[in-house]
Amino acid sequence: AQSVAQPEDQVNVAEGNPLTVKCTYSVSGNPYLFWYVQYPNRGLQFLLKYITGDNLVKGSYGFEAEFNKSQTSFHLKKPSALVSDSALYFCAVRAAMNRDDKIIFGKGTRLHILP
Amino acid sequence: DAGVIQSPRHEVTEMGQEVTLRCKPISGHNSLFWYRQTMMRGLELLIYFNNNVPIDDSGMPEDRFSAKMPNASFSTLKIQPSEPRDSAVYFCASSVVGQGPYEQYFGPGTRLTVT
């Protein structure tokens, strides 16, 4: 069975500080991992994905995520937070061996960037 | 590209009425997903289609819910009869099935309120 956990319901960060949103996963075999962002009253938007290769993945809006196989984690990071980064962030996973395209989303982490 | 289009954006109806939500996926995408988002349960996958064929409907809550995809450019999610607990935001997403994994593109959602 596939699962993904986002242990923090909310993260507060001061503007200009680095931010981290945590994600851990559980799948059989190798994972495909995704981060999405949801702004108020909008649908989810794709930020970045890990398929294979370099463990550090760079995505939209200056975000990056680091895949750590030993810790089964895929934390989202940004060196310097902006107030406009305040949103709901979702981590998602799919087992690479699966033939279907269903991905499992975490419950989301609300990120508040304080001015 | 206009992205994934959903209609209506808001729907308010009375308990017992039939509700039909509509989705137009991105042209060229061959997978379509219906999700439901609530505060209590987060983001839930209801059903997904591949090349217009339903692949996994295990997330459909009960027989009151049904979904169709008569062609590659249109899908509906119907609730009959509707109940107050169906109140949620319903998202449609589409992606490309192939050598992927490809990210899903979400529509703006339909906010359903059942009174």
Side-chain angles (χ1 to χ4, degrees):
Chain A
Q2 308 171 97
S3 66
V4 60
Q6 295 182 242
E8 302 154 318
D9 290 336
Q10 182 168 311
V11 172
N12 297 323
V13 177
E15 186 178 24
N17 283 2
L19 69 86
T20 298
V21 183
K22 296 179 180 178
C23 171
T24 58
Y25 66 90
S26 175
V27 296
S28 299
N30 293 322
Y32 294 147
L33 294 155
F34 305 81
W35 275 102
Y36 287 79
V37 60
Q38 184 180 28
Y39 298 103
N41 301 312
R42 303 283 295 274
L44 279 69
Q45 296 179 32
F46 169 75
L47 274 180
L48 51 80
K49 66 183 175 185
Y50 170 83
I51 302 173
T52 186
D54 194 346
N55 289 342
L56 186 63
V57 179
K58 295 187 183 297
S60 307
Y61 311 122
F63 283 94
E64 57 189 27
E66 186 168 11
F67 170 63
N68 187 318
K69 188 171 184 177
S70 63
Q71 297 185 4
T72 62
S73 67
F74 190 57
H75 300 332
L76 182 69
K77 300 180 181 182
K78 187 173 182 180
S80 178
L82 300 173
V83 173
S84 57
D85 293 330
S86 298
L88 186 58
Y89 289 81
F90 291 92
C91 182
V93 67
R94 175 195 147 191
M97 66 174 64
N98 285 3
R99 295 177 64 84
D100 63 45
D101 282 283
K102 184 168 68 173
I103 63 175
I104 306 301
F105 284 89
K107 292 190 176 297
T109 297
R110 191 164 297 281
L111 178 63
H112 286 287
I113 308 301
L114 309 171
Chain B
D1 197 319
V4 175
I5 298 173
Q6 290 187 248
S7 65
R9 292 295 309 275
H10 301 273
E11 177 80 36
V12 180
T13 189
E14 292 183 348
M15 182 174 63
Q17 297 298 306
E18 177 179 296
V19 175
T20 299
L21 311 181
R22 298 172 176 80
C23 175
K24 177 180 170 56
I26 293 173
S27 178
H29 283 191
N30 53 4
S31 263
L32 185 138
F33 305 79
W34 281 102
Y35 292 91
R36 177 171 70 176
Q37 185 178 36
T38 61
M39 291 292 291
M40 292 298 295
R41 300 175 68 90
L43 192 66
E44 304 173 273
L45 176 66
L46 300 177
I47 185 171
Y48 85 95
F49 296 83
N50 185 3
N51 293 321
N52 312 337
V53 176
I55 302 300
D56 185 347
D57 65 355
S58 60
M60 296 286 263
E62 47 198 275
D63 292 345
R64 298 185 296 107
F65 286 68
S66 62
K68 295 182 179 179
M69 192 164 186
N71 57 61
S73 59
F74 184 66
S75 177
T76 60
L77 178 68
K78 186 177 293 187
I79 308 173
Q80 166 65 17
S82 58
E83 296 183 3
R85 61 192 167 123
D86 301 331
S87 296
V89 180
Y90 291 81
F91 290 104
C92 175
S94 69
S95 71
V96 176
V97 173
Q99 294 300 312
Y102 296 100
E103 55 271 22
Q104 296 179 17
Y105 292 82
F106 282 72
T110 295
R111 183 174 296 276
L112 173 65
T113 303
V114 183
T115 60

